[in-house]
């Protein structure tokens, strides 16, 4: 079994989900007392969020590249960046290490393409929704047309992520707001909706809506297990 290098803490609430999902999936596939071989480097999210909102992506890329290199030096065989937003600097991180980075948008795009989805809605932080790094990768590599919520809904989604979910708060009113946005995206032509922030699944689950949801945390964790268990 290969060793997974998790670069997390953005936020720690969703990183805990990664740890649980990866270990549960390894146990399901191998049985018995098996668990995953994991190295975890968890950063202080307050420092990361400050740089995000200051729009200093160069500093963020350099910071996470250093943290990724630490994981590689410790023996990780691949990098799992436990956040959607920070894939904004994936190229900078990849250039700093020789181990592969398992890109979260690729895990998501593969699942959507396998299911025949072409029109998909995207929920995430303001950075993930408004910048092109995520949407363009899905379009160029997987032929997906990505639909976004309106501007006011984007701000509401972003606020809930940072002011509630990243602080461990799950509010029924916010769940209702998210479900309305999901319904609106479907009415506007989306066949499914990507939960494109690793915290959103703490708030909204498939049992809450008939609209197909693609939880990036789950899909990324499953891709990591596939890598870990794939024979050399």
């Amino acid at each position: 079994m290969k060793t997974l290098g998790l670069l997390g803490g953005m936020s720690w609430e969703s990183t805990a989900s990664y740890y649980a999902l990866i270990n549960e999936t390894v146990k399901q596939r191998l049985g018995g007392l098996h668990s995953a071989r994991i190295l975890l480097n968890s950063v202080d999210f307050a420092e990361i969020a400050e740089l995000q909102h200051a729009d200093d992506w160069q500093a963020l890329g350099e910071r996470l590249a250093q943290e990724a290199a630490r994981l590689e030096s410790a023996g990780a065989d691949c990098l799992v960046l436990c956040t959607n937003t920070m894939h904004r600097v994936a190229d900078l991180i990849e250039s700093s290490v020789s181990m592969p980075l398992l890109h979260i948008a690729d895990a998501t795009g593969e699942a959507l393409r396998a299911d025949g989805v072409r029109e998909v809605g995207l929920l995430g932080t303001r950075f993930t929704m408004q910048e092109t790094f995520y949407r363009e990768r899905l379009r160029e590599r997987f032929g997906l047309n990505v639909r976004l919520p309106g501007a006011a809904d984007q701000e509401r989604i972003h606020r809930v992520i940072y002011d509630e979910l990243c602080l461990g708060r799950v509010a029924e009113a916010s769940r209702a707001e998210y479900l309305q946005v999901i319904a609106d995206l479907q009415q506007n032509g989306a066949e499914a909706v990507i939960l494109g922030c690793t915290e959103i699944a703490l708030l909204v689950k498939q049992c809450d809506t008939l609209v197909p949801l693609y939880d990036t945390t789950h899909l990324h964790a499953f891709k990591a297990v596939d890598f870990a268990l794939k024979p050399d």
Side-chain angles (χ1 to χ4, degrees):
M1 186 189 308
K2 301 181 186 69
T3 300
L4 302 173
L6 271 58
L7 182 48
M10 299 167 279
S11 65
W12 72 260
E13 282 85 358
S14 63
T15 302
S17 297
Y18 269 92
Y19 186 81
L21 284 166
I22 290 170
N23 279 296
E24 288 168 359
T25 305
V26 167
K27 182 172 68 173
Q28 289 169 5
R29 295 191 188 181
L30 299 182
L33 297 175
H34 283 289
S35 58
R37 295 179 58 86
I38 291 174
L39 292 171
L40 171 60
N41 184 350
S42 187
V43 300
D44 181 354
F45 188 41
E47 299 171 359
I48 300 299
E50 182 177 355
L51 290 170
Q52 287 175 340
H53 289 91
D55 203 32
D56 195 345
W57 298 99
Q58 182 66 34
L60 283 163
E62 293 171 357
R63 167 72 183 277
L64 294 189
Q66 292 174 353
E67 302 298 344
R70 290 183 181 180
L71 283 168
E72 185 169 47
S73 296
D77 295 308
C78 75
L79 179 64
V80 181
L81 181 58
C82 302
T83 161
N84 284 273
T85 297
M86 292 316 303
H87 279 74
R88 167 73 168 72
V89 295
D91 290 346
L92 275 171
I93 297 171
E94 285 182 298
S95 68
S96 72
V97 294
S98 58
M99 63 179 172
L101 180 149
L102 306 184
H103 202 291
I104 196 168
D106 292 348
T108 305
E110 288 164 6
L112 287 159
R113 184 170 61 184
D115 291 343
V117 176
R118 289 294 177 265
E119 301 282 335
V120 64
L122 174 63
L123 305 183
T125 66
R126 180 194 312 131
F127 315 112
T128 300
M129 290 186 289
Q130 294 180 359
E131 299 200 32
T132 61
F133 70 95
Y134 202 91
R135 290 182 283 121
E136 286 302 299
R137 192 176 183 104
L138 292 174
R139 183 184 64 81
E140 292 173 0
R141 297 195 174 208
F142 304 99
L144 294 167
N145 182 33
V146 179
R147 299 176 180 270
L148 298 176
D153 285 335
Q154 288 184 32
E155 288 306 310
R156 188 175 299 111
I157 290 163
H158 181 88
R159 178 191 59 76
V160 168
I161 290 168
Y162 280 88
D163 294 349
E164 297 178 18
L165 300 179
C166 288
L167 297 173
R169 301 171 185 162
V170 177
E172 289 298 326
S174 296
R175 179 180 289 115
E177 290 177 347
Y178 268 55
L179 290 174
Q180 184 58 59
V181 173
I182 289 168
D184 291 345
L185 284 167
Q186 184 187 45
Q187 287 184 344
N188 290 327
E191 302 166 64
V193 172
I194 297 169
L195 305 184
C197 174
T198 53
E199 283 80 25
I200 295 178
L202 301 173
L203 179 68
V204 176
K205 303 185 185 303
Q206 187 62 73
C207 61
D208 296 322
T209 177
L210 296 177
V211 180
L213 303 179
Y214 285 75
D215 176 3
T216 55
T217 306
H218 279 72
L219 294 170
H220 204 200
F222 296 157
K223 187 176 183 70
V225 174
D226 287 342
F227 178 91
L229 299 184
K230 183 178 180 180
D232 291 327

